[in-house]
Amino acid sequence: MRSYPPEIVAEVVLNGLLTGSVYGLVALGLTLVYGVLHIINFAHGALLTAAMFGVFVLHEVFGIDPYWALPVMAPVFFGFGYLLQRLVIGPAARGDDSNILLVTLGLSIVLENLMLAVFRSDTRSVRIPLANEMLEWGPMLIPAPRAIGFVVACIVAVLLFLFLARSSTGRAIRAVAKERTGATLVGIDVAHIYAITFGIGTACLAVAACLLLPSFYVNPRVGNAFVLVAFTIVVLGGMGSVPGALLGGLFIGVVESLSGLYLGESLGQIGIFAIFILVLLVRPTGLFGAKA
Amino acid sequence: MRAILLFAGIAALLPVFVTANTVLNFAVFTLVVALAAQGWNILGGFGGQYSFGHAAFFGTGAYAVAVLQMRYGLNPYAAFAAGIALGAAVGAAIGAMTFRAGLRGSYFALVTLAFAEVFRVLANSLALTGGAAGLLIPLDVRPENFQFASRAGFYWIALGLVVLCLLLSFWLSRSRLGAHLVAVRENEAAARALGVDVFAVKLQAIALSGAITAAAGGFYAQYFLYIDSSIAYGTWISVEALLAPIIGGAGTVFGPVMGAILLHALGEASRHLFGRIPGVDLMLFGAVLILVVRYPPRNLWRRS
Amino acid sequence: MTTATRRTVLATAIAAPFIAPRAGWTQAGSVKLGILQPLTGALSQDGEYGRIGAEIAIREINEAGGIRGMRIEPVFGDARSAPEGGVAEVERMQAEGVVGVVGGFASPICLAASQAASRYDLPYVVDVGVADTIVTRGLRNTFRFGPGFGVVTQTALDNLSALNDAAGKPARTVVLVHEDGLFGTGLARLMNAELPKRGFEVLETIPHPSPSRDMSNVALRIRALNPDLVIPSSYYAEFALLAQTMQQRRIRPKGIYAVLNGAASNFRFVREFPEAAQAVMDCNHWADPRKPATARVKAAVEAMGRFWLYNVALNYSAVQLMADAIGRAGRPDRAAVIEALAATGPAFTSHIMPYGPTRFVNGQNQSAAPVNTQVQGGDIKVIFPNDFADARPIFPVTG
């Protein structure tokens, strides 16, 4: 393994943190959904793709800048997620693990191919002036969109954490996550809470899409690339833990970046999974998780 | 038991009455997936340990057949057998690590996914597995070389393997090991309290599961004669191997086979009807999946 | 849904593949041609363009009166971006009585599909798939009009040396960036072996996965190494990301010399990233800019609101080749078509590729070769070889 000068390693770590913040945001939705509904949402990648197409359409058709689209996309996707859980996933799943698996898998197939039929398979990008702005930090150059992404992702994570800790809905969500039967007994509408949680998850994806699109691209398969990493982060950070998702995301981003540097970008992908396996074997509940 | 023999008898006659290669090809591919699904079913259906990474075993079998044949000159049948043994070994290794650490449920599922991904990346990088170029098994159509001029030859072998596994599943459902496995699935703590060696039971299940799915992989390699890391260790086969038993009835003897047939038939039907616009046929497929879960056919197959 | 309805649906679903497909043989006045592309899945982007190229060719041929008065009736197949999908579609096309199959796109699909076709002595013309193994298996039914991997790499190296020499040898150090799949890895290996022999020094070889979520570190390493030349061999998305990142960070080597790159000769890339695309060179399949038919086909594609791509030209030409062979065979008989294909000669001119006279040896067109293109002022020009060039190269890139 060759050695690299410290400036390069430092910048690689920085790149990892920036990328990892977005990973964390994508993982946030997934971890909440798992922590509360106890379902592994196979449709997460397709939902991210749908969100990115949403931002794309807003830009191309209505001329709305992806960052300004945030206040539009987040509530719309919250509603979309709420309805999905309330009307499609919840009734179909009826609490059975394998049913949920099938429904979310079916949903991901429907969504991905719907987008393929409507948008065709081309890889498209948006052009916004901000995309070429670079911030200087010492000798390092940081593209503005990625810096914005980092900041917003952290803010969203903090806001979500506070929401869960302080608000009454947040308390209800935590109650349902911990003890569903007990929560029903004290009068909490569990189906409603489930739907709200799912909606928050998709809203996080919408935010991630707004942050991602200026420096990335969109096609019907784009979300799939992030799903595996998101799963890894969810498990690593502890299922249901918001700080775990963000910190796990940052950690994985740095691991990916460094192993890409030392092992090559291709072989370096092993770094993520190797860490994942190791953490699980040694500390199965994840870094911040409650008992499994 | 009678059902198995009846199925075997009828299915064996297929190539006699239907010579259309479209159908035979479809049938062979469906049987390969059914076999992989039967492997998954041992661990996931009977044992209740859902795996999202059965590609790890499928790919091991596929690469074993290809590599041993091409680099070490082994006879394809011997390579096939070696692939099965290797699949069992990999299963035991993964099982030993993960079950020792007490991984269960979603954690176990995701760790198997991680293993499959690691194998995929490694297979794509190592010279042994042909790296990114993959492995192309030379065309040499002789029955002794596990290559048949007629698709019927492949069909009967695949069918034979599937029937063998049906018998195996049947035996398992009636055996002590099977009973222990189901006990572990239903309530692991209670099973342990009753004196079941949970670790040993799970280990046997995953080894058996790995062996069967590796057989499916080895057969795939011989049939299509070309594999690379995304074909052998890709998520597509992990998904197929778990979808089929769940649809058909996890933990049943016929579940994986029926599920595989149903899913593939559905895929073909939607392709016939909606093939023009790309994506519409798969959309229908996904929609049916959701609908089937929403309005399940009750008692389609009895649980054994 | 009632129990009875559910059972009916399931029974129909199971029965569907056993119902005989439309009785296959050609009706009087038309010839069936199979067009196989990955229309769904990971490769759907390319598959669709391949299909467009085939459709345009078929329409033109039919409008001109067809093949000896017989219309071409296309049978489209979706390989679903997987070899088994390609095989299943070939079987279906076979059952429907096609006289030949064109397409495949990806090498694994082409390998499996052409092999399946060989069982029926069904002529198969590969459109893009560059793996050399496609034409070295001894299958007499398989033909490839475009160049294979070995020829592309060799030509890329020869042309690079020529370009460098003509400019006074400004480039010596190279960084290779490649996708970690079949063609990227093979290309990198060949380049590593051959470049030093021609006076170049490979500073580093950087593989990356497809899809890649981020190319910043690759750009960072390029900047640190500061090579004269970057040779990227990637699919569309990754190269677009890399080019954009390099442009943002003002990483400007003397030249970006792409080989078989998914974006460098793609008009969508040029339109969406004009600054990043400027002066990027590619050694790739490309249509012959001097042939009048090229402009016509290009206009047809743009009238559909799509971008002009090498894939369209290759498929258009492959279909023209098949039609030409069927015409020379005189009848829709598979064995006769195979013989006609193998005997194709300089008289075949209805293709739009920049190749010399056609000549097949073991199914490979010997005159097939890639050309060098460069993005200049928002347009993609051919800069080399001079026989087909419509612009002069900008090399080295300064400023």
Side-chain angles (χ1 to χ4, degrees), chain B residues 21-23 25 29 124 132 136 139 148-149 151 220 224-226 231 262 265 271 276 278-279 281 295-297, chain C residues 6 10 13 17-18 39-40 51 76 78 80 83-84 87-89 91-92 108 115 119-120 133 139 180-182 185:
Chain B
N21 273 330
T22 25
V23 176
N25 182 58
F29 186 60
N124 195 51
L136 182 70
L139 194 63
F148 304 96
R151 295 212 189 278
Y220 179 100
F224 286 101
L225 294 178
Y226 176 75
I231 294 172
L262 257 165
R271 220 195 316 191
R276 281 300 295 191
D281 58 333
Y295 305 102
Chain C
R6 255 182 268 137
L10 289 170
F18 294 87
L39 298 172
T40 52
R51 180 171 132 159
F76 292 105
D78 175 10
R80 297 203 172 175
E84 58 264 5
V87 170
E89 288 295 73
E91 295 286 353
R92 182 175 66 85
Q115 198 148 290
R119 288 170 175 274
Y120 311 103
T133 39
L139 295 178
D180 62 5
L182 189 153
T185 312

Side-chain angles (χ1 to χ4, degrees), chain B residues 2 4 22 27-28 41 70 79 84 87 95-96 106 151 172 175 199-200 255 258 266 301 303:
Chain B
R2 259 175 299 149
I4 298 178
T22 25
V28 171
N41 194 37
M70 291 169 63
I84 296 178
S106 319
R151 295 212 189 278
L172 195 66
S175 75
F199 179 74
M258 288 300 139
L266 183 60
W301 335 106
R303 209 167 237 243

Side-chain angles (χ1 to χ4, degrees), chain C residues 17-58:
Chain C
F18 294 87
I19 299 168
R22 307 181 276 291
W25 301 104
T26 60
Q27 46 204 99
S30 74
V31 165
K32 289 193 181 184
L33 184 62
I35 305 293
L36 178 67
Q37 290 292 331
L39 298 172
T40 52
L43 305 168
S44 50
Q45 181 169 343
D46 304 283
E48 223 207 305
Y49 279 97
R51 180 171 132 159
I52 289 174
E55 278 178 322
I56 294 178
I58 292 174

Side-chain angles (χ1 to χ4, degrees), chain A residues 23 120 127 131 225 256-257, chain C residues 45 48-49 213 217 248 272:
Chain A
Y23 289 171
R120 314 250 118 175
R127 309 276 298 143
E256 183 186 42
S257 228
Chain C
Q45 181 169 343
E48 223 207 305
Y49 279 97
R213 288 176 291 273
N217 288 339
Q248 279 173 345
E272 292 189 356

Side-chain angles (χ1 to χ4, degrees), chain C residues 23-373:
Chain C
W25 301 104
T26 60
Q27 46 204 99
S30 74
V31 165
K32 289 193 181 184
L33 184 62
I35 305 293
L36 178 67
Q37 290 292 331
L39 298 172
T40 52
L43 305 168
S44 50
Q45 181 169 343
D46 304 283
E48 223 207 305
Y49 279 97
R51 180 171 132 159
I52 289 174
E55 278 178 322
I56 294 178
I58 292 174
R59 195 179 65 221
E60 281 190 4
I61 294 172
N62 283 343
E63 278 169 8
I67 308 174
R68 292 187 182 229
M70 289 188 294
R71 291 187 75 256
I72 300 182
E73 195 188 313
V75 178
F76 292 105
D78 175 10
R80 297 203 172 175
S81 303
E84 58 264 5
V87 170
E89 288 295 73
V90 166
E91 295 286 353
R92 182 175 66 85
M93 291 171 179
Q94 200 293 115
E96 296 201 23
V98 298
V99 136
V101 177
V102 174
F105 181 72
S107 293
I109 301 176
C110 294
L111 281 166
S114 56
Q115 198 148 290
S118 70
R119 288 170 175 274
Y120 311 103
D121 229 25
L122 181 61
Y124 190 103
V125 174
V126 168
D127 57 347
V128 178
V130 288
D132 288 321
T133 39
I134 292 177
V135 288
T136 55
R137 291 170 297 168
L139 295 178
R140 55 173 239 118
N141 75 315
T142 307
F143 295 86
R144 181 167 59 198
F145 189 59
F149 185 72
V151 168
V152 173
T153 325
Q154 207 53 46
T155 313
L157 284 161
D158 290 340
N159 291 2
L160 175 61
S161 293
L163 257 156
N164 200 27
D165 289 347
K169 291 198 192 228
R172 202 184 61 82
T173 54
V174 171
V175 166
L176 295 166
V177 177
H178 68 93
E179 61 93 27
D180 62 5
L182 189 153
F183 85 86
T185 312
L187 191 94
R189 190 179 313 128
L190 265 161
M191 288 269 168
N192 267 301
E194 294 290 312
L195 280 169
K197 296 181 193 167
R198 295 152 194 265
F200 293 97
E201 182 192 343
V202 178
L203 298 177
E204 187 153 343
T205 306
I206 306 176
H208 66 79
S210 314
S212 253
R213 288 176 291 273
D214 176 43
M215 296 292 273
S216 335
N217 288 339
V218 177
L220 174 62
R221 285 170 55 203
I222 293 174
R223 191 183 76 205
L225 293 163
N226 198 21
D228 297 324
L229 269 177
V230 173
I231 301 186
S233 212
S234 314
Y235 290 112
Y236 183 93
E238 286 69 43
F239 181 68
L241 275 179
L242 179 64
Q244 192 186 16
T245 313
M246 283 175 65
Q247 188 241 329
Q248 279 173 345
R249 292 162 193 260
R250 325 262 191 283
I251 302 172
R252 294 200 191 94
K254 292 181 186 158
I256 297 180
Y257 187 83
V259 182
L260 282 178
N261 194 295
S265 33
N266 181 324
F267 273 104
R268 178 179 283 283
F269 173 63
V270 174
R271 300 275 151 81
E272 292 189 356
F273 299 97
E275 308 92 14
Q278 172 63 16
V280 170
M281 292 178 276
D282 194 11
C283 187
N284 210 334
H285 313 286
W286 195 248
D288 187 341
R290 304 163 316 158
K291 291 197 173 178
T294 304
R296 194 178 66 225
V297 178
K298 184 171 176 205
V301 171
E302 282 165 359
M304 288 184 204
R306 316 309 297 272
F307 287 95
W308 181 236
L309 208 57
Y310 72 85
N311 204 0
V312 180
L314 267 174
N315 271 278
Y316 174 91
S317 303
V319 169
Q320 289 284 4
L321 172 69
M322 185 68 95
D324 184 82
I326 297 173
R328 275 179 289 121
R331 60 202 187 282
D333 169 74
R334 292 171 180 174
V337 173
I338 290 179
E339 278 179 38
L341 276 168
T344 311
F348 172 54
T349 51
S350 47
H351 67 89
I352 54 173
M353 302 307 291
Y355 303 157
T358 312
R359 189 172 68 91
F360 282 104
V361 171
N362 287 331
Q364 173 64 51
N365 178 12
Q366 298 298 299
S367 67
V371 292
N372 284 72
T373 59

Side-chain angles (χ1 to χ4, degrees), chain B residues 239-250:
Chain B
V239 171
E240 294 247 24
L242 72 84
L243 254 190
I246 292 180
I247 291 262

